[in-house]
Amino acid sequence: MPWTYAMGSRFRSSALSLPIVLLLGLAAPAQAEITPSALDRAKLATIGVLEDTQDQRTPDKPGKLLVRGTGFHLRDGYIVTARHAAEKHDATTGTVIEKQIRILTTDLHELPADLVGDSAFMDVVVYRVAEAHRPKLRATASFASGDVQPGQEVFTVGYPMGWGPTMSFGHLGNTNTFLQTVDTRLIQADVAACSGNSGGGLFNDKGEVVGIMHAIIQTERDDSTAHCSRMAFAIPAILAERIVNAALEGKPLTFSKMGIQMMAVKDGTKWRMAVKEVNEPSKSAGIQKHDIIIAIDETEVDDAKHLKNYLIERTIPGQQVRVKVRRIDTDLTFTVTLAGG
């Protein structure tokens, strides 16, 4: 089944080679009621990302009002959205990130916002509204602390098909799934989402952001630019917040590296990941080629993506981690001081 960025078909890909795994038979956690105040705050914090429809041949004639994506006001004029919702496509220059975008508040104020920083690696971008316009941003949306759980009640606010703002309610499914669009895990949400929802917040019952809307599973097979689905995917807040904070601090975001390449091998009846090549810092720590990676800091490693995701989300360069490996018939544990890059 094909996937598409929630922005539309110009970001479409061919059919996934990896299956999307749903969590079935799990008991949902006790649900907290989504309060009207949480809904109102999320709605007021949500903004639309406007398409540039200005005809350069007639600069005095205003362009049409066309919303192409969604975002939210974090604080102090900082606007967070999906990077692909702010990209500009040009036949000669290719795809570039726009230095300035125009945003639309829920009470119809159109404001300019300037680029602060972005991560193409994770599909997140931060803009800032000039101080003179910030009073028109009536609410903020904070990132939720901690991680999310399958079955958790969530909702999203956005501009599907360029119309809205609308609200959609649902629950989280697989909170540890992967697509070919970004190099980290995504959280699956069973909420209605369409072209234009990209970059919007995925909110919990308190109105806190648990994810940034990234992509949907495309159910149609036509060439239309408008697509909707009830299976959406979001960048986890635990990672998005790191990206945003790095952009606000004006620092490049560095991720931890162990210096190993892995390959799939069969360990009894279970497929596991073995070390194919080993470099620093793992080599100095004692890890060798053909070691089977069992766990990192007591977290079991199922495949290379899970290990990479753990390093991205849970560690920083210079941190020490305990890596459990199986060498022939013996389990060994090594302490690795992570490198950066």
Side-chain angles (χ1 to χ4, degrees), residues 103-167:
I103 66 168
L104 186 70
T105 66
T106 53
D107 47 359
L108 302 181
H109 288 288
E110 181 179 331
L111 310 173
D114 297 309
L115 180 65
V116 175
D118 70 294
S119 172
F121 186 61
M122 296 301 168
D123 192 33
V124 176
V125 65
V126 182
Y127 287 85
R128 197 177 196 188
V129 173
E131 186 174 0
H133 296 303
R134 289 173 201 166
K136 296 181 176 66
L137 300 169
R138 296 172 54 196
T140 61
S142 60
F143 286 109
S145 60
D147 211 345
V148 292
Q149 299 297 324
Q152 182 176 333
E153 189 173 3
V154 292
F155 69 97
T156 189
V157 185
Y159 289 84
M161 313 293 212
W163 178 81
T166 66
M167 292 185 176

Side-chain angles (χ1 to χ4, degrees), residues 20-41:
I20 300 300
V21 180
L22 302 183
L23 298 183
L24 303 177
L26 289 179
Q31 297 298 321
E33 182 181 357
I34 299 176
T35 64
S37 62
L39 296 174
D40 290 342
R41 187 167 61 254

Side-chain angles (χ1 to χ4, degrees), residues 4-322:
T4 180
Y5 283 125
M7 273 292 295
S9 63
R10 61 182 173 181
F11 300 102
R12 290 172 62 187
S13 169
S14 58
L16 282 173
S17 60
L18 297 175
I20 300 300
V21 180
L22 302 183
L23 298 183
L24 303 177
L26 289 179
Q31 297 298 321
E33 182 181 357
I34 299 176
T35 64
S37 62
L39 296 174
D40 290 342
R41 187 167 61 254
K43 182 178 178 181
L44 288 174
T46 295
I47 59 91
V49 179
L50 295 175
E51 185 78 61
D52 184 7
T53 60
Q54 179 68 56
D55 190 337
Q56 299 302 319
R57 296 170 297 182
T58 55
D60 296 330
K61 183 179 179 181
K64 297 178 181 179
L65 185 66
L66 180 61
V67 182
R68 67 175 186 172
T70 306
F72 58 90
H73 176 219
L74 184 66
R75 63 179 181 275
D76 301 326
Y78 290 109
I79 302 297
V80 181
T81 185
R83 190 183 193 275
H84 74 264
E87 287 177 340
K88 184 176 181 179
H89 302 270
D90 187 272
T92 56
T93 61
T95 300
V96 296
I97 185 71
E98 296 201 79
K99 301 299 183 183
Q100 185 181 81
I101 59 172
R102 293 177 302 126
I103 66 168
L104 186 70
T105 66
T106 53
D107 47 359
L108 302 181
H109 288 288
E110 181 179 331
L111 310 173
D114 297 309
L115 180 65
V116 175
D118 70 294
S119 172
F121 186 61
M122 296 301 168
D123 192 33
V124 176
V125 65
V126 182
Y127 287 85
R128 197 177 196 188
V129 173
E131 186 174 0
H133 296 303
R134 289 173 201 166
K136 296 181 176 66
L137 300 169
R138 296 172 54 196
T140 61
S142 60
F143 286 109
S145 60
D147 211 345
V148 292
Q149 299 297 324
Q152 182 176 333
E153 189 173 3
V154 292
F155 69 97
T156 189
V157 185
Y159 289 84
M161 313 293 212
W163 178 81
T166 66
M167 292 185 176
S168 178
F169 300 82
H171 297 84
L172 297 185
N174 193 342
T175 59
N176 194 41
T177 192
F178 296 85
L179 297 182
Q180 298 167 338
T181 50
V182 287
D183 292 324
T184 186
R185 71 168 170 124
L186 297 168
I187 52 179
Q188 174 219 331
D190 295 331
V191 296
C194 303
S195 308
N197 276 109
S198 277
L202 184 66
F203 301 93
N204 62 15
D205 59 283
K206 298 177 182 177
E208 300 168 329
V209 177
V210 299
I212 298 176
M213 299 293 284
H214 168 70
I216 60 174
I217 289 292
Q218 178 185 317
T219 55
E220 316 94 284
R221 292 185 178 273
D222 56 45
D223 292 327
S224 168
T225 59
H227 299 282
C228 294
S229 174
R230 280 204 59 87
M231 187 178 294
F233 299 87
I235 305 290
I238 193 173
L239 174 61
E241 187 171 22
R242 285 190 63 189
I243 297 170
V244 170
N245 287 341
L248 300 191
E249 294 170 2
K251 299 178 181 178
L253 181 60
T254 58
F255 297 108
S256 303
K257 292 185 177 181
M258 282 182 56
I260 60 173
Q261 297 180 29
M262 297 195 291
M263 60 182 177
V265 297
K266 205 168 185 180
D267 180 24
T269 60
K270 183 177 177 63
W271 283 95
R272 290 194 178 274
M273 302 307 299
V275 176
K276 182 178 180 180
E277 297 291 340
V278 58
N279 298 294
E280 298 300 339
S282 290
K283 188 174 182 179
S284 294
I287 296 176
Q288 299 178 4
K289 287 180 65 173
H290 309 302
D291 284 348
I292 295 176
I293 304 295
I294 303 297
I296 178 170
D297 286 342
E298 308 303 325
T299 298
E300 186 173 354
V301 174
D302 292 327
D303 58 29
K305 288 183 177 179
H306 287 120
L307 176 59
K308 185 176 183 179
N309 182 75
Y310 184 93
L311 294 173
I312 288 173
E313 288 190 15
R314 311 287 179 173
T315 69
I316 59 174
Q319 180 177 330
Q320 289 188 335
V321 294
R322 291 171 59 81

